[in-house]
Amino acid sequence: TWADPTCSLAMKETDREAVATAVQRVAGMLQRPDQLDKVEQYRRREARKKASVEARLKAAIQSQLDGVRTGLSQLHNALNDVKDIQQSLADVSKDWRQSINTIESLKDVKDAVVQHSQLAAAVENLKNIFSVPEIVRETQDLIEQGALLQAHRKLMDLECSRDGLMCEQYRMDSGNTRDMTLIHGYFGSTQGLSDELAKQLWMVLQRSLVTVRRDPTLLVSVVRIIEREEKIDKRILDRKKQTGFVPPGRPKNWKEKMFAILDRTVTTRIEGTQADTRESDKMWLVRHLEIIRKYVLDDLIIAKNLMVQCFPPHYEIFKNLLSMYHQALSTRMQDLASEDLEANEIVSLLTWVLNTYTSMEMMGNMELAPEVDVNALEPLLSSSVVSELLDTYMSTLTSNIIAWLRKALETDKKDWSKETEPEADQDGYYQTTLPAIVFQMFEQNLQVASQISEDLKTKVLVLCLQQMNSFLSRYRDEAQLYKEEHLRNRQHPHCYVQYMIAIINNCQTFKESIVSLKKKYLKNEAEEGVCLSQPSMDGILDAIAKEGCSSLLEEVFLDLEQHLNELMTKKWLVGSNAVDTICVTVEDYFNDFAKIKRPYKKRMTAEAHRRVVVEYLRAIMQKRISFRSPEERKEGAEKMVREAEQLCFLFRKLASGFGEEVDGYCDTIVAVAEVIKLTDPSLLYLEVSTLVSKYPDIRDDHIGALLAMRGDASRDMKQTIIESLEQGPTQANPNYVPLFREIVVPSLNVAKLLK
């Protein structure tokens, strides 16, 4: 290797690199003159490093050489061993060829060994074989006596004897079915005993929740028997892999059958709790669900506290029972959901499924913790089934609410025709039972919906408000029909005024109830936004109340019509008491109107005040009288002022309960009286101008009628005043309430008036 030219070149190259590296290191050490003094020190340090490196290199090379030496030694030994084995195999091959004939001569010995093994098994089981009938009888007696463990021990002995004989027969001659059938027939009662014992075990398991409290030892015995059979099944299946033989009736799989029996028992227990039907009891579903709740809770508490002590831990009996109950409940709830349920039954079912099941009253009960985690339980009903039920409920509820509202309105309408006054609330305001009935119905449905979910509660509230909106439109129409019916015969209904007041008050009650309902059942701004998108009912209620108030005022003015017609007539001028009668009549009506709630009563009082003044002004504009002298004008004007004060006093009295000043409608009468009373015709234009500036809705026909009533204005003066006023329209006060706009002057044109 050292003579290899390539290696030689590599060594030379390495030497050159080493020298170059050394030169660089020395140059780095001797960069300053003062470092020359340390040359000897540097030489010794480098000598030490070189010695250390050489020592390590020698140690590494020595270690490698030792390893190579050891490997060569082991290879040499292995070669010797291979030669020895090769020689031994050659000897064995030689001996085997020489012994072939000897092995063939031992066939009879082999057969004798097999026969001896079978005879030994037969001798061993001979006692059991002869005692099979007796063991069968004893086992049967033990089963009937309930001694299950002893019976199973006897049964295992019988099965062991049978299986041992059949296994030996199978090993000796697996194709000999006659002998196998003979053995199986002799032990034929064994399978019957096994089945009979199994029936007893299943009966105990079906009543396990009762047995575990009365006789837990019996349940433990059943579990021990099942556990024994599981071990025998496992042993036989393991032996099958070696022999291929499986005894009849194996594997029994009694553990698997045990869980199947428990599962059927749970299902039967759940289904068997329905004691009533809809025909026999309207509350059948509520009763059924409550029984299920109680049974399931009691059963699981017993299983958790008692049954787990009777089963091996690896059976996980409580976990399995919990799963069985949950699945049985889910199946039962699916069956109930598929039935044609009524609205209240859907509510009961969903409340139970979504709330009761996971509540403290059932799965969330502290006695089941921590084994039962309600958050880990799957839903009893799928989301699609729940949605379908909710859709059905909302559809049915919509129909029911419409029917309930219609029926409530029909009942209220019948009350409107009664001969007795409506009831009054605690503050003395007339009312009917309609708002209470309607909102009690809404409240009940919302409370029910709240038990199911917040989302359903919001949907029901929206539905109630939607139907309320439609209902109020019908309510408005019925109130209008009620008014029209009364106008056809004002003697009927007898208590028309009182019930119209009740209708008006109901509007305020409806508004307050709607606000209260939203406040109670809307918990956040998002829900508020959902309901705000619904049509506002305040406008409809105000319209109903306004129309009701107008109906009552119409009733008042129908009684005042005769007396209003006396105003501004000769009779009125010479001493009519028409205004006295008007005041008495209005005050009498408003004594009844005191039963109207404040906001509507206040508006109604103001409207009555305005309308009386308008009717008074209309009487002035009707040209019923024309004063012939200053004395008549003075007398008429002073009478108008007195009557204006009289009317003002009346309405101030009626409005005293509101704590506000009455509107100055009566001042209009005084202002008109000032025009009538004016004695200097030259100032008439100024006075009329002042009147028009205060009341900008006054028209030229009104001025013409007013001047005609004075009876002293010349044709030129009338024309001048009217034309001047037409040229200079006045600016209306934004707070001004028009009074003259609805007053129509009789069809006499201005030209006629000028004449």
Side-chain angles (χ1 to χ4, degrees):
T1 303
W2 294 107
D4 189 349
T6 305
C7 292
S8 177
L9 289 173
M11 290 295 294
K12 291 178 180 180
E13 182 66 26
T14 303
D15 290 342
R16 282 196 298 270
E17 290 178 358
V19 170
T21 303
V23 170
Q24 288 179 355
R25 290 190 61 188
V26 170
M29 293 177 185
L30 303 176
Q31 290 182 354
R32 297 190 307 275
D34 60 331
Q35 291 178 327
L36 292 174
D37 298 337
K38 299 181 180 180
V39 169
E40 189 61 31
Q41 180 181 349
Y42 292 155
R43 184 181 293 112
R44 286 195 298 273
R45 186 175 66 187
E46 292 302 319
R48 285 195 300 272
K49 287 183 179 180
K50 180 182 178 183
S52 175
V53 170
E54 288 177 348
R56 290 199 300 272
L57 183 59
K58 288 179 181 180
I61 292 173
Q62 184 64 40
S63 175
Q64 291 292 329
L65 290 173
D66 291 343
V68 170
R69 188 180 296 110
T70 302
L72 290 173
S73 176
Q74 290 176 348
L75 287 173
H76 180 72
N77 293 336
L79 180 61
N80 293 333
D81 292 341
V82 168
K83 290 179 180 179
D84 293 342
I85 292 170
Q86 186 177 11
Q87 182 61 41
S88 299
L89 287 174
D91 295 342
V92 169
S93 178
K94 180 179 178 181
D95 293 342
W96 176 73
R97 290 190 186 94
Q98 293 175 354
S99 63
I100 289 177
N101 296 331
T102 306
I103 294 172
E104 291 178 353
S105 65
L106 293 176
K107 183 176 183 303
D108 295 338
V109 177
K110 179 182 177 182
D111 294 340
V113 169
V114 172
Q115 187 176 8
H116 179 271
S117 175
Q118 292 173 346
L119 292 172
V123 170
E124 183 180 349
N125 290 287
L126 191 61
K127 182 179 180 181
N128 290 337
I129 291 172
F130 284 121
S131 62
V132 164
E134 182 182 354
I135 296 175
V136 168
R137 286 193 301 272
E138 291 176 357
T139 305
Q140 185 68 44
D141 292 341
L142 289 170
I143 291 174
E144 292 175 356
Q145 294 168 11
L148 302 182
L149 276 176
Q150 294 89 325
H152 186 248
R153 173 58 63 187
K154 296 281 185 183
L155 178 62
M156 284 195 302
D157 292 341
L158 287 173
E159 290 179 340
C160 184
S161 298
R162 179 197 66 184
D163 297 347
L165 289 171
M166 294 184 77
C167 183
E168 289 299 329
Q169 178 61 35
Y170 182 84
R171 289 171 58 190
M172 182 179 67
D173 187 3
S174 60
N176 189 350
T177 58
R178 187 181 66 82
D179 289 349
M180 294 289 281
T181 303
L182 179 65
I183 298 172
H184 186 270
Y186 187 75
F187 286 91
S189 301
T190 304
Q191 186 61 43
L193 289 174
S194 177
D195 294 341
E196 185 64 29
L197 179 62
K199 288 181 182 179
Q200 297 298 319
L201 300 183
W202 307 151
M203 288 176 61
V204 173
L205 287 171
Q206 288 170 356
R207 304 181 70 253
S208 56
L209 291 169
V210 177
T211 304
V212 76
R213 287 179 290 180
R214 296 181 180 177
D215 188 6
T217 305
L218 179 58
L219 184 59
V220 171
S221 299
V222 170
V223 176
R224 288 179 61 189
I225 292 171
I226 293 172
E227 189 68 5
R228 285 177 186 172
E229 290 294 339
E230 284 295 302
K231 292 178 180 177
I232 295 172
D233 282 348
K234 185 177 184 303
R235 187 168 63 249
I236 287 175
L237 291 175
D238 290 340
R239 189 172 65 184
K240 178 187 174 183
K241 297 175 183 177
Q242 301 174 356
T243 64
F245 173 73
V246 178
R250 291 289 180 182
K252 293 184 179 180
N253 295 323
W254 276 8
K255 180 180 177 182
E256 182 180 334
K257 291 179 182 178
M258 176 196 75
F259 282 113
I261 291 293
L262 289 174
D263 189 45
R264 285 201 301 272
T265 302
V266 168
T267 301
T268 303
R269 184 161 174 79
I270 296 299
E271 293 176 349
T273 54
Q274 183 175 344
D276 303 298
T277 61
R278 184 183 295 120
E279 291 72 20
S280 61
D281 186 355
K282 291 294 183 182
M283 301 296 290
W284 69 276
L285 184 57
V286 174
R287 193 183 306 278
H288 179 39
L289 294 173
E290 176 57 22
I291 293 173
I292 289 177
R293 184 199 67 78
K294 187 176 185 304
Y295 280 11
V296 172
L297 179 60
D298 291 346
D299 291 354
L300 289 177
I301 290 175
I302 292 171
K304 177 178 179 290
N305 295 330
L306 300 178
M307 285 189 69
V308 293
Q309 302 175 22
C310 301
F311 289 79
H314 66 274
Y315 276 48
E316 295 184 319
I317 189 64
F318 181 75
K319 180 180 178 181
N320 282 292
L321 278 174
L322 177 62
S323 177
M324 293 174 193
Y325 273 100
H326 182 79
Q327 185 57 45
L329 286 172
S330 180
T331 302
R332 183 56 183 158
M333 296 305 115
Q334 293 278 1
D335 293 341
L336 290 172
S338 65
E339 295 186 15
D340 187 15
L341 298 177
E342 297 177 354
N344 62 316
E345 293 169 349
I346 292 175
V347 168
S348 299
L349 181 62
L350 288 177
T351 302
W352 197 92
V353 167
L354 300 178
N355 298 324
T356 303
Y357 183 62
T358 55
S359 69
M360 296 290 291
E361 298 177 355
M362 200 168 176
M363 292 302 187
N365 192 284
M366 295 302 296
E367 293 192 53
L368 297 179
E371 284 78 358
V372 178
D373 181 6
V374 293
N375 296 318
L377 294 174
E378 293 292 325
L380 290 178
L381 292 176
S382 65
S383 57
S384 60
V385 174
V386 172
S387 297
E388 185 177 346
L389 285 172
L390 288 175
D391 291 343
T392 304
Y393 172 71
M394 290 300 294
S395 176
T396 306
L397 181 61
T398 301
S399 302
N400 289 345
I401 288 178
I402 292 173
W404 290 333
L405 289 174
R406 184 178 293 112
K407 183 177 180 181
L409 183 54
E410 290 297 325
T411 303
D412 205 55
K413 278 172 55 182
K414 291 179 182 177
D415 291 344
W416 297 352
S417 301
K418 286 182 177 180
E419 296 292 323
T420 56
E421 294 182 355
E423 296 179 356
D425 63 12
Q426 59 186 4
D427 297 321
Y429 297 119
Y430 284 139
Q431 63 177 7
T432 67
T433 57
L434 183 62
I437 292 173
V438 169
F439 281 92
Q440 183 180 10
M441 176 187 64
F442 288 169
E443 183 83 21
Q444 290 172 351
N445 284 288
L446 284 166
Q447 287 177 356
V448 167
S450 298
Q451 295 174 4
I452 298 177
S453 68
E454 289 296 308
D455 182 58
L456 180 62
K457 178 205 68 176
T458 304
K459 288 182 179 178
V460 171
L461 179 58
V462 170
L463 172 63
C464 290
L465 295 179
Q466 286 176 337
Q467 295 304 320
M468 185 68 185
N469 199 60
S470 302
F471 166 76
L472 290 178
S473 297
R474 294 196 299 273
Y475 190 51
R476 182 179 185 179
D477 295 340
E478 293 297 340
Q480 184 65 26
L481 291 174
Y482 183 55
K483 167 194 168 183
E484 293 172 0
E485 180 185 350
H486 172 70
L487 291 178
R488 285 193 290 271
N489 182 358
R490 292 186 63 205
Q491 301 302 317
H492 299 284
H494 180 70
C495 295
Y496 168 77
V497 171
Q498 289 80 358
Y499 277 99
M500 186 57 76
I501 292 173
I503 291 172
I504 295 169
N505 289 337
N506 284 349
C507 293
Q508 181 65 19
T509 305
F510 277 130
K511 291 173 74 172
E512 293 170 354
S513 299
I514 290 169
V515 171
S516 175
L517 206 64
K518 288 183 178 181
K519 183 177 180 181
K520 183 174 182 180
Y521 289 100
L522 295 180
K523 303 300 183 185
N524 53 54
E525 294 180 0
E527 292 180 348
E528 181 73 27
V530 171
C531 289
L532 285 177
S533 64
Q534 304 304 317
S536 173
M537 285 166 280
D538 287 355
I540 299 177
L541 289 167
D542 286 340
I544 296 172
K546 183 177 180 181
E547 290 170 2
C549 291
S550 298
S551 299
L552 292 177
L553 288 179
E554 191 171 344
E555 188 77 4
V556 174
F557 282 92
L558 284 174
D559 286 350
L560 295 180
E561 184 176 2
Q562 176 185 351
H563 308 293
L564 290 171
N565 289 336
E566 288 185 15
L567 297 176
M568 304 303 131
T569 61
K570 291 290 185 181
K571 181 180 179 182
W572 168 78
L573 186 60
V574 298
S576 169
N577 294 322
V579 172
D580 293 336
T581 306
I582 289 171
C583 290
V584 170
T585 303
V586 169
E587 186 172 8
D588 183 55
Y589 267 103
F590 269 83
N591 285 334
D592 290 336
F593 296 164
K595 305 288 187 176
I596 299 176
K597 290 187 176 180
R598 179 184 178 89
Y600 298 127
K601 181 183 176 184
K602 179 181 177 182
R603 278 179 250 167
M604 191 173 179
T605 303
E607 178 61 16
H609 188 183
R610 189 191 71 81
R611 283 191 62 179
V612 167
V613 171
V614 168
E615 292 300 326
Y616 197 99
L617 295 173
R618 180 178 282 111
I620 295 174
M621 301 303 169
Q622 293 295 313
K623 302 176 294 295
R624 298 171 183 170
I625 187 173
S626 178
F627 298 118
R628 298 178 180 177
S629 64
E631 288 76 14
E632 280 190 358
R633 285 192 289 275
K634 180 180 179 183
E635 182 182 354
E638 290 176 349
K639 187 174 182 63
M640 290 167 64
V641 171
R642 288 197 303 274
E643 290 177 345
E645 291 175 351
Q646 191 175 352
L647 292 173
C648 185
F649 176 79
L650 168 66
F651 286 104
R652 188 179 294 115
K653 178 181 177 182
L654 295 178
S656 60
F658 307 131
E660 297 180 6
E661 291 294 327
V662 297
D663 294 318
Y665 297 133
C666 293
D667 294 342
T668 311
I669 300 175
V670 176
V672 171
E674 291 297 326
V675 175
I676 299 297
K677 185 180 179 181
L678 188 65
T679 56
D680 186 356
S682 62
L683 299 176
L684 194 56
Y685 171 76
L686 182 60
E687 195 68 35
V688 172
S689 299
T690 304
L691 181 67
V692 172
S693 65
K694 292 178 64 176
Y695 308 101
D697 62 322
I698 195 168
R699 301 188 301 273
D700 54 359
D701 55 345
H702 295 142
I703 297 170
L706 185 58
L707 295 177
M709 185 178 178
R710 274 186 59 89
D712 66 338
S714 65
R715 180 168 176 250
D716 293 339
M717 182 182 295
K718 292 177 184 178
Q719 188 170 1
T720 301
I721 292 173
I722 292 174
E723 290 176 353
S724 299
L725 293 175
E726 286 178 348
Q727 294 172 1
T730 57
Q731 187 69 30
N733 186 336
N735 298 323
Y736 172 68
V737 178
L739 296 175
F740 291 91
R741 180 182 300 169
E742 59 188 273
I743 299 175
V744 179
V745 178
S747 57
L748 287 175
N749 57 33
V750 176
K752 261 188 178 180
L753 291 173
L754 293 176
K755 292 178 183 179

